[in-house]
């Protein structure tokens, strides 16, 4: 599998570490159920998923990778820092 | 007081020549990483240009030349080699001394591309990786920085603690390339 890092270009999968699903984090004071959902409950779609990938062996960027878990096609990649949030 | 003896990262291991390729150690006078503060990228590049005659490198590129070089080093960071960075740059960037942290070697000679092709999953051939181009990539499971510094010369850097492994893996690849003739 080849993943296109927004910095480095197309790279082999072995250079990356995968953290897991890319999720919107609930507010700190959100209800317990909402946090329970965030921490424990996941969809398992046969199709496109968004995940957080870390370019561990390369530039050290966190990347939002959208890929199809059925065909293994990598559909899009983006810097997580460009997707909003604060640093 | 004890008289301490400083040893270079690859002390006693290099230089070595196998076939047409030579691996030698490079000891830049100084190494400092520059991480620009948010929104200060242009100001830092201008200040770096004024102080040392080289701009902040673009992604996968380096600026300057042997003796004073700035290498793109990762997301939002560059490494300046060879010169002690002017302290006024602290206004625009976080400066960190990396002088003791990295092993720096030079792979030189006809066939150096073939040696790296055995270890690095990135196309480093001349048509796609020209002089001054740089990558952060895996080299035999190590996080390396590789820069083309000449027509047949590469600078390879890994963490200092991995110097012996780096030399071992490069020597093995050099011998394998040479054995193919």
């Amino acid at each position: 599998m080849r993943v296109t890092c927004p910095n480095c270009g197309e790279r082999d999968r072995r250079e990356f570490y995968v953290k897991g699903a890319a999720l919107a984090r609930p507010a700190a004071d959100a209800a317990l159920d909402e946090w329970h959902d965030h921490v424990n409950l996941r969809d398992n779609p046969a199709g496109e998923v968004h995940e957080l990938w870390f370019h561990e062996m390369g530039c050290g960027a966190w990347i939002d990778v959208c890929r199809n878990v059925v065909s293994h096609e990598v559909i899009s990649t983006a810097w997580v820092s460009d997707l909003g949030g604060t640093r | 007081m004890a008289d301490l003896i400083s040893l270079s990262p690859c002390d006693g291991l290099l230089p070595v020549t196998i076939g047409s390729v030579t691996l030698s150690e490079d000891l830049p006078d100084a190494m400092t990483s520059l991480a620009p503060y948010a929104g200060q990228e242009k100001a830092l590049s201008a200040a770096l240009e004024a102080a040392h005659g080289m701009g902040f490198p673009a992604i996968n590129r380096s600026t300057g030349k042997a003796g004073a070089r700035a290498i793109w080093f990762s997301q939002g960071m560059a490494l300046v080699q060879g010169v002690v960075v002017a302290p006024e740059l602290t206004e625009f960037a976080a400066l960190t001394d990396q002088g003791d942290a990295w092993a720096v070697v030079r792979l030189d000679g006809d066939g150096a591309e073939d040696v790296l092709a055995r270890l690095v999953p990135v196309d480093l051939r001349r048509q796609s990786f020209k002089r001054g181009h740089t990558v952060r990539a895996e080299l035999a499971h190590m996080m390396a920085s590789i820069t083309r510094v000449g027509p047949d010369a590469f600078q390879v850097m890994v963490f200092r603690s991995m110097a012996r492994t780096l030399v071992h893996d490069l020597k093995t690849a050099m011998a394998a390339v040479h054995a193919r003739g």
Side-chain angles (χ1 to χ4, degrees), chain B:
Chain B
M1 187 168 166
D3 186 19
L4 300 177
I5 305 163
S6 73
L7 296 178
S8 69
C10 303
D11 183 77
L13 302 173
L14 296 177
V16 61
T17 299
I18 301 176
S20 57
V21 183
T22 298
L23 182 65
S24 52
E25 183 169 25
D26 209 355
L27 293 169
D29 288 339
M31 287 195 279
T32 311
S33 62
L34 272 61
Y37 297 129
Q40 297 295 316
E41 290 84 357
K42 281 186 178 155
L44 173 67
S45 188
L48 189 62
E49 179 84 48
H52 301 298
M54 53 195 177
F56 192 86
I59 292 169
N60 292 326
R61 295 290 182 271
S62 62
T63 58
K65 52 185 190 302
R69 202 189 295 279
I71 300 169
W72 179 81
F73 211 53
S74 67
Q75 167 100 324
M77 188 182 286
L79 183 79
V80 173
Q81 288 181 318
V83 290
V84 177
V85 173
E88 54 265 29
L89 295 190
T90 51
E91 186 184 341
F92 311 111
L95 271 54
T96 309
D97 181 10
Q98 305 281 356
D100 287 335
W102 292 81
V104 186
V105 300
R106 182 184 170 97
L107 191 66
D108 205 342
D110 187 27
E113 277 176 13
D114 302 328
V115 172
L116 289 177
R118 288 174 176 253
L119 300 170
V120 184
V122 177
D123 185 1
L124 298 178
R125 290 174 301 169
R126 198 174 303 168
Q127 57 264 44
S128 52
F129 193 70
K130 301 179 170 67
R131 184 198 287 244
H133 288 202
T134 189
V135 288
R136 288 300 308 262
E138 176 190 341
L139 189 152
H141 307 292
M142 293 175 284
M143 304 162 177
S145 160
I146 301 163
T147 309
R148 187 187 279 274
V149 294
D152 282 311
F154 296 88
Q155 173 182 277
V156 181
M157 301 175 63
V158 300
F159 296 141
R160 182 187 178 120
S161 61
M162 301 171 182
R164 194 171 286 270
T165 308
L166 174 71
V167 170
H168 169 80
D169 283 323
L170 283 172
K171 274 169 70 177
T172 305
M174 286 159 70
V177 167
H178 178 57
R180 290 186 67 89

Side-chain angles (χ1 to χ4, degrees), chain A residues 4-82:
Chain A
T4 304
C5 169
N7 285 323
C8 306
E10 193 181 281
R11 291 296 181 89
D12 195 86
R13 188 193 65 158
R14 81 185 89 158
E15 292 196 355
F16 296 85
Y17 165 82
V18 188
K19 180 167 187 283
L23 304 170
R25 187 186 168 93
D29 58 356
L32 185 61
D33 274 355
E34 204 176 325
W35 272 104
H36 172 69
D37 187 0
H38 176 73
V39 173
N40 297 307
L41 302 181
R42 293 285 176 277
D43 296 331
N44 187 19
E48 292 182 15
V49 297
H50 279 268
E51 289 170 327
L52 295 177
W53 287 48
F54 177 47
H55 197 187
E56 185 180 31
M57 291 287 181
C59 62
W62 280 99
I63 302 163
D64 180 298
V65 175
C66 176
R67 67 187 186 95
N68 188 311
V69 295
V70 177
S71 67
H72 301 300
E73 180 193 2
V74 175
I75 293 147
S76 68
T77 54
W79 282 310
V80 171
S81 54
D82 277 0

